[in-house]
Amino acid sequence: IRSALQSLEQQGIVSRKRAVGTTINGHIRPSALALQRLVGFDTLLREQGYPVRSEVSWERRTPTRGMMAVFDLGSDCDCLVTSTRYYAAEDVAIAVRDIVPQETLTTDSFAEPLPTSLFGFSAVYCRTPIDYAVVQITAVTKDKEEGNCLSIAHGRPFTRLNETHYSAGGDPIAFSLIDVDNEIVSFEVFRRG
């Protein structure tokens, strides 16, 4: 228990003071922890009080020009592309496109339903499971091409996570484009000095 509390204190989640005890820092919300505690997007939305459902589809194809530009993929790269939409009530709150190059897969056939988590998917279907991901966070405005899966109005801003998934050895395994409705989910970055 002592070790766990020390870890939470180092992460800035709790404060510990002699004769006072351990208290949860009030500025830390559940959504602030989402990137560091590996909860699913469905869990994150449920914690905020939304009824949640998700839809997953997949197809084999070459990446789009946008995917190639973001992740430096070749135009001849055969990939499995999955699309997952997370609904908060009736609105699409989070839209995920996962790109898994064919060369990282162990099979051409997949059992339905596919896992919604790319970490879970890689443990079953990739030659090497995903160990960690590096995320680039960008601000984007919805237009004809960008954010068209989200239930937001044209011209509204949203958050995009460009995520590269790596093996324990540092080899890229898969890639994700994650669009998030800022009105439903907001991510916070916590820095400790």
Side-chain angles (χ1 to χ4, degrees), residues 25-34 37 47 185-188:
N25 291 332
H27 64 281
I28 302 293
R29 297 183 320 213
S31 62
L33 305 176
R37 66 178 175 143
E47 285 179 350
V185 176
S186 63
F187 295 105
E188 296 174 352

Side-chain angles (χ1 to χ4, degrees), residues 68-80:
M68 287 187 283
V70 170
F71 298 116
D72 195 27
L73 296 167
S75 60
D76 61 342
C77 180
D78 186 27
C79 297
L80 171 73

Side-chain angles (χ1 to χ4, degrees), residues 17-91:
K17 293 184 182 160
R18 181 169 280 204
V20 174
T22 301
T23 57
I24 298 172
N25 291 332
H27 64 281
I28 302 293
R29 297 183 320 213
S31 62
L33 305 176
L35 294 178
Q36 69 189 32
R37 66 178 175 143
L38 284 182
V39 298
F41 289 126
D42 51 349
T43 301
L44 181 64
L45 293 170
R46 278 189 196 94
E47 285 179 350
Q48 294 184 40
Y50 292 102
V52 178
R53 69 182 168 86
S54 60
E55 295 175 353
V56 182
S57 62
W58 62 275
E59 63 180 320
R60 289 196 180 287
R61 64 179 165 99
T62 57
T64 64
R65 269 187 264 152
M67 292 173 183
M68 287 187 283
V70 170
F71 298 116
D72 195 27
L73 296 167
S75 60
D76 61 342
C77 180
D78 186 27
C79 297
L80 171 73
V81 178
T82 66
S83 296
T84 307
R85 294 181 184 187
Y86 293 91
Y87 290 83
E90 297 303 316
D91 295 321

Side-chain angles (χ1 to χ4, degrees), residues 122-172:
S122 75
V124 176
Y125 296 113
C126 290
R127 297 183 196 288
T128 307
I130 294 169
D131 184 65
Y132 65 96
V134 176
V135 180
Q136 176 190 30
I137 303 171
T138 59
V140 184
T141 302
K142 183 172 181 176
D143 61 22
K144 288 188 289 188
E145 297 176 13
E146 303 293 346
N148 57 13
C149 293
L150 295 176
S151 300
I152 62 174
H154 184 77
R156 279 228 358 247
F158 65 93
T159 300
R160 173 165 290 162
L161 308 176
N162 298 323
E163 195 169 32
T164 302
H165 303 271
Y166 295 93
S167 69
D171 297 316

Side-chain angles (χ1 to χ4, degrees), residues 104 123 180:
T104 66
V180 181

